[in-house]
């Protein structure tokens, strides 16, 4: 139990340090969520991501689709009355999953050939930057 | 004076080359010569969002270091975003600056200005001067500006325009003589790189934008982001020809009467 708690605490501080965001400042107002353009595809709302961080239930975030649906559009951060940059929190969760050797959430073989030919270079570079390390 | 020009990976590609060709022709016509940076490298397309990731800052930093203190001009919204945030980070974060400078084995050159082409038009030329250069005003053409995310947010770092009520592109289109349509979703995200992994989510996001523009009576959406253009073009309304999407420099070249047919794809 102690060991498990340590692992959770470590994850907690990793997300805070890597994102540079003190998520305890969130007052759960939901403004971030109201403006998110891809909300309907998320299993946890941006506000709930902050809630689970505050509750110390980060393991819920590691299995959530939400960080992978987030398009890094910076709208939530622009609207947050507490000046929290949620795009950085989403990225900290993604890199936690992606950094261990061999982890990747996208491989070139997964992209259908006709789509691959049409997609602008910028889509591929940004996609691989976000889904692999 | 001439400005350094950073094209980025996408504008050398067939689909987006129209932006580069029209913008360079217009720049020459307007007396704003752009000189391509030697041996430039891709900016990485997204800015690294964790405090401890410096390696992906190296490539955009090369551009900042190579520019010395000359202004760097970009056309692509993503290049502008990444280069500008890198510039802000290098200026503000001594630790990151020292590490990158030592990795590149180069002295940090100081605070290189990073400009978007639209800023060059607004601040160096001015809308009135642009208006005077227009030979074929786009009269009666209902054009709407689509900003997307990368030019505007985060506002403190980008310092480009008001993030919720921008006007630079509307002012630009007005100078070209168009009938400017201002619609509510002009700063909403098109779905960005979800085009690669979550096609349906991207299409839904883009569809909302295009439908809103149509509802407000726009016949053309204009952008400076190749990925926004691609995403918006995947929507039914664009595929059915109800509305089109262009790069902002295409109506510019047209208004300046610069052989448009030859340069668009
Ligand atoms: S807008 Fe800010 S304070 Fe409000 S719920 Fe979202 S993160 Fe919390
Ligand atoms: S940055 Fe991510 S979570 Fe925030 S509004 Fe945009 S898509 Fe939603």
């Amino acid at each position: 139990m102690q060991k498990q708690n340590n692992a959770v605490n470590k994850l907690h501080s990793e997300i805070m340090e890597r994102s540079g965001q003190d998520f305890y400042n969130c007052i759960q107002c939901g403004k971030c969520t109201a403006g998110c353009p891809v909300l309907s595809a998320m299993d946890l709302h941006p506000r709930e991501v902050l809630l689970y961080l505050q509750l110390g239930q980060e393991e819920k975030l590691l299995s959530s689709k939400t960080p992978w649906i987030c398009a890094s559009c910076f709208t939530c951060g622009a609207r947050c009355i507490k000046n929290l940059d949620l795009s950085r929190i989403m990225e900290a969760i993604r890199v936690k999953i992606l950094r261990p050797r061999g982890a990747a959430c996208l491989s070139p073989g997964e992209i259908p050939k006709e789509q691959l030919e049409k997609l602008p270079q910028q889509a591929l570079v940004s996609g691989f930057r976000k889904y692999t390390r | 004076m001439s400005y350094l020009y950073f094209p980025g990976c996408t504008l050398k590609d067939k689909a987006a080359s129209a932006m580069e060709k029209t913008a360079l022709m217009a720049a020459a016509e307007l007396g704003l010569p752009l000189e391509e940076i030697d041996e430039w490298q891709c900016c990485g397309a997204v800015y690294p969002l964790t405090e401890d990731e410096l390696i992906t800052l190296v490539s955009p930093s090369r551009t900042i270091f190579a520019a010395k203190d000359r202004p760097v001009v970009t056309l692509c919204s993503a290049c502008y975003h990444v280069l500008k945030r890198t510039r802000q980070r290098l200026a503000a974060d001594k630790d990151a600056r020292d590490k990158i400078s030592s990795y590149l084995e180069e002295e940090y050159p100081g605070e290189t200005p990073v400009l978007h082409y639209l800023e060059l038009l607004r601040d160096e030329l001015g809308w009135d001067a642009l208006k005077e250069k227009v030979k074929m005003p786009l009269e009666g053409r209902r054009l709407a500006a689509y900003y997307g995310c990368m030019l505007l947010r985060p506002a403190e770092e980008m310092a480009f325009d008001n993030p919720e009520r921008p006007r630079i592109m509307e002012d630009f289109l007005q100078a070209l003589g168009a009938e400017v349509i201002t619609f509510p979703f002009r700063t909403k995200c098109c779905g960005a790189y979800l085009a690669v992994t979550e096609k349906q989510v991207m299409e839904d996001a883009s569809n909302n934008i295009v439908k809103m523009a149509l509802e407000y009576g726009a016949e053309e959406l204009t952008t400076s982001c190749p990925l926004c253009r691609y995403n918006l073009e995947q929507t039914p309304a664009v595929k059915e020809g109800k509305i089109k999407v262009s790069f902002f420099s295409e109506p510019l070249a047209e208004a300046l009467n610069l052989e448009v047919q030859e340069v668009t794809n």
Side-chain angles (χ1 to χ4, degrees):
Chain A
M1 193 59 205
Q2 188 57 41
K3 210 174 157 200
Q4 208 182 344
N5 277 346
N6 287 343
V8 169
N9 287 341
K10 187 165 166 275
L11 177 59
H12 193 84
S13 54
E14 264 177 30
I15 293 178
M16 193 172 285
E17 272 165 32
R18 284 187 183 151
S19 68
Q21 304 302 303
D22 184 353
F23 37 74
Y24 288 110
N25 285 336
C26 166
I27 55 155
Q28 291 289 303
C29 70
K31 262 190 106 178
C32 49
T33 302
C36 178
V38 290
L39 185 69
S40 58
M42 289 176 165
D43 54 0
L44 288 179
H45 290 172
R47 178 191 61 78
E48 291 175 304
V49 169
L50 279 284
L51 177 66
Y52 288 124
L53 283 169
Q54 292 180 336
L55 293 175
Q57 297 180 20
E58 290 85 354
E59 63 291 354
K60 283 211 169 71
L61 308 176
L62 297 182
S63 56
S64 164
K65 267 170 72 181
T66 294
W68 310 100
I69 295 290
C70 167
S72 304
C73 75
F74 312 114
T75 306
C76 47
R79 309 254 165 95
C80 175
I81 51 166
K82 289 294 196 175
N83 246 334
L84 287 164
D85 188 343
L86 283 81
S87 68
R88 287 185 177 270
I89 291 172
M90 300 289 184
E91 183 115 323
I93 299 169
R94 284 191 296 265
V95 303
K96 173 66 195 163
I97 294 166
L98 289 173
R99 279 190 192 171
R101 196 182 140 110
C105 290
L106 177 67
S107 78
E110 278 170 52
I111 308 169
K113 192 162 176 284
E114 82 277 9
Q115 198 190 346
L116 199 59
E117 282 165 2
K118 280 190 344 194
L119 282 167
Q121 198 67 19
Q122 183 193 351
L124 296 170
V125 178
S126 50
F128 282 99
R129 274 279 162 95
K130 289 287 177 180
Y131 297 106
T132 64
R133 269 301 175 279
Chain B
M1 96 162 162
S2 74
Y3 299 86
L4 288 171
Y5 163 55
F6 178 81
C9 64
T10 308
L11 303 196
K12 299 295 177 183
D13 197 25
K14 50 197 179 321
S17 61
M19 176 149 71
E20 176 172 77
K21 286 181 190 154
T22 47
L24 294 183
M25 281 172 76
E29 174 79 12
L30 297 169
L32 300 165
L34 300 178
E35 183 190 317
E36 188 168 318
I37 297 179
D38 280 340
E39 302 190 5
W40 55 268
Q41 282 186 350
C42 171
C43 69
V46 286
Y47 180 77
L49 296 173
T50 50
E51 302 281 328
D52 62 352
E53 185 166 312
L54 291 183
I55 192 67
T56 43
L57 278 178
V58 169
S59 174
S61 294
R62 283 206 166 99
T63 300
I64 305 290
F65 276 69
K68 306 292 177 216
D69 48 7
R70 286 176 71 191
V72 178
V73 176
T74 72
L75 296 168
C76 166
S77 307
C79 295
Y80 176 68
H81 181 95
V82 175
L83 291 178
K84 186 134 182 198
R85 292 185 82 176
T86 301
R87 175 226 180 266
Q88 312 292 56
R89 176 83 180 267
L90 290 172
D93 179 346
K94 186 174 183 305
D95 186 47
R97 178 168 76 228
D98 290 347
K99 283 185 178 136
I100 288 171
S101 161
S102 123
Y103 182 88
L104 296 177
E105 297 186 5
E106 258 183 84
E107 269 315 299
Y108 174 62
E111 300 184 12
T112 305
V114 174
L115 301 172
H116 190 270
Y117 190 98
L118 285 166
E119 291 178 300
L120 205 60
L121 294 182
R122 181 189 62 193
D123 304 332
E124 299 301 317
L125 185 66
W127 300 134
D128 289 339
L130 176 60
K131 205 169 170 180
E132 273 170 32
K133 298 266 189 179
V134 166
K135 296 199 182 85
M136 307 267 283
L138 307 177
E139 265 161 39
R141 291 264 298 277
R142 297 193 308 279
L143 263 57
Y146 174 67
Y147 291 85
C149 314
M150 305 294 248
L151 293 172
L152 299 167
R153 297 184 291 267
E156 316 75 61
E157 280 171 77
M158 298 313 297
F160 178 73
D161 203 344
N162 183 316
E164 302 283 358
R165 281 184 213 85
R167 55 176 291 179
I168 184 168
M169 276 209 237
E170 282 80 6
D171 289 348
F172 161 73
L173 294 172
Q174 194 147 31
L176 303 184
E179 185 188 323
V180 183
I181 307 284
T182 306
F183 73 110
F185 290 173
R186 66 208 167 108
T187 64
K188 217 174 160 85
C189 177
C190 68
Y193 50 77
L194 298 178
V196 186
T197 49
E198 298 281 346
K199 207 159 153 273
Q200 192 56 51
V201 180
M202 172 281 281
E203 284 179 16
D204 292 346
S206 282
N207 212 11
N208 284 337
I209 296 161
V210 170
K211 280 193 337 215
M212 187 60 89
L214 265 177
E215 214 165 288
Y216 274 70
E219 58 186 33
E220 184 172 326
L221 275 165
T222 191
T223 174
S224 64
C225 180
L227 183 51
C228 292
R229 179 174 181 170
Y230 173 84
N231 286 350
L232 297 174
E233 284 184 340
Q234 307 311 305
T235 60
V238 176
K239 286 185 175 165
E240 289 160 16
K242 289 185 188 144
I243 185 166
K244 72 174 249 195
V245 191
S246 63
F247 290 121
F248 75 98
S249 52
E250 293 177 286
L252 171 64
E254 205 184 321
L256 297 174
N257 200 19
L258 299 172
E259 305 279 326
V260 184
Q261 284 81 357
E262 265 181 46
V263 289
T264 47
N265 51 320

